[in-house]
Amino acid sequence: MADGQKRSEAKAQAKARGESLFAFSDGKIHAFESRNNYQKIVMRFIDWVREKHNVRDLEKIDDQADELACLYLLKHMAEEKSAWTLSTYRCALRMFFQDRNLADSVELPKRRREDIKRSRQPAVRDRHINLANWQHVIQFCLACGLRREELRDLHVKDVYVRPSDQRLMVIVRNGKGGKRREVPVFPGRESAVLSQIAGKPADAPVFKRVSSLLDIHSYRRQFAQDLYERLSGRPLPPLNGRLLSPMLDSNAALAVSHCLGHNRIDIIFGHYIR
């Protein structure tokens, strides 16, 4: 863990040294959410190695790391796991074994926008939650587009009115990669935010609980689409076909990207706006 360190700072230092930033990694994990996800992936891998290959000694697993990682990825490719999932699996194993070339011989499927399934259609979990009981969280998400863990860590003192223009703002103190950002609340949706902090002390969490069954990413995506249309004054780009420059408003997309904490236009067009 690189506790308290920002990945962006490590990336800037690498750039200053003249190093390539393609698939950049400083060999550290900068967010506890990433650590938890990687740890789960690695533990499932270790269990699979022990069960299917009867290799129980960790030193022996280290010796066979590349072969076992390749077999593990091929198994999940046969199960038709998404390109994003497979890439995350390999990244986790590379981090664990401290080998950036691990399983290089396995050609993973390309990540294509049309193959994205996340938050694009009803999920099984939607049948197990009464969304009417969670409208206060949903409307809050549509007002500022925060991630699940950002909602969890948000406190009343993190909501304020910006003196320069009287805009209602939400501060994310420790977003993905340890980044801090300030998100302007979507115009006209201020009441969804103010209603959740009214009468609460400054150090109180905004939400005591956010159901794990809520599809927070879908509300983040809706926020991004609504904000892009408002800032650009244009309709959303078509779902299919190539994106052409006349269809796009890069400045609006960059502003949306900053609000979401990505700062990359390609992610906004590929995962949110389309």
Side-chain angles (χ1 to χ4, degrees), residues 15 18 27 145 212-213 244 266:
K15 183 177 181 180
S212 61
L213 297 176
L244 303 176
D266 59 324

Side-chain angles (χ1 to χ4, degrees), residues 131 133-144 148 151 192 196 206-211 214 216 219:
L131 295 179
N133 295 334
W134 293 96
Q135 283 302 309
H136 61 296
V137 177
I138 293 172
Q139 296 306 315
F140 193 100
C141 291
L142 294 176
C144 53
R148 181 183 299 278
L151 292 169
Q196 298 311 303
V206 174
F207 298 107
K208 291 183 178 179
R209 176 173 173 260
V210 176
S211 174
L214 282 172
I216 299 298
Y219 311 133

Side-chain angles (χ1 to χ4, degrees), residues 133-186:
N133 295 334
W134 293 96
Q135 283 302 309
H136 61 296
V137 177
I138 293 172
Q139 296 306 315
F140 193 100
C141 291
L142 294 176
C144 53
L146 268 57
R147 298 181 175 93
R148 181 183 299 278
E149 58 273 17
E150 293 168 353
L151 292 169
R152 176 198 65 201
D153 297 338
L154 193 67
H155 289 75
V156 171
K157 63 185 177 184
D158 297 326
V159 179
Y160 79 103
V161 176
R162 187 165 59 189
S164 61
D165 57 4
Q166 296 301 298
R167 288 287 302 275
L168 187 64
M169 308 291 293
V170 175
I171 303 174
V172 176
R173 299 187 182 277
N174 187 26
K176 190 172 184 179
K179 294 179 181 178
R180 182 187 187 278
R181 72 180 189 278
E182 297 190 9
V183 183
V185 173
F186 193 96

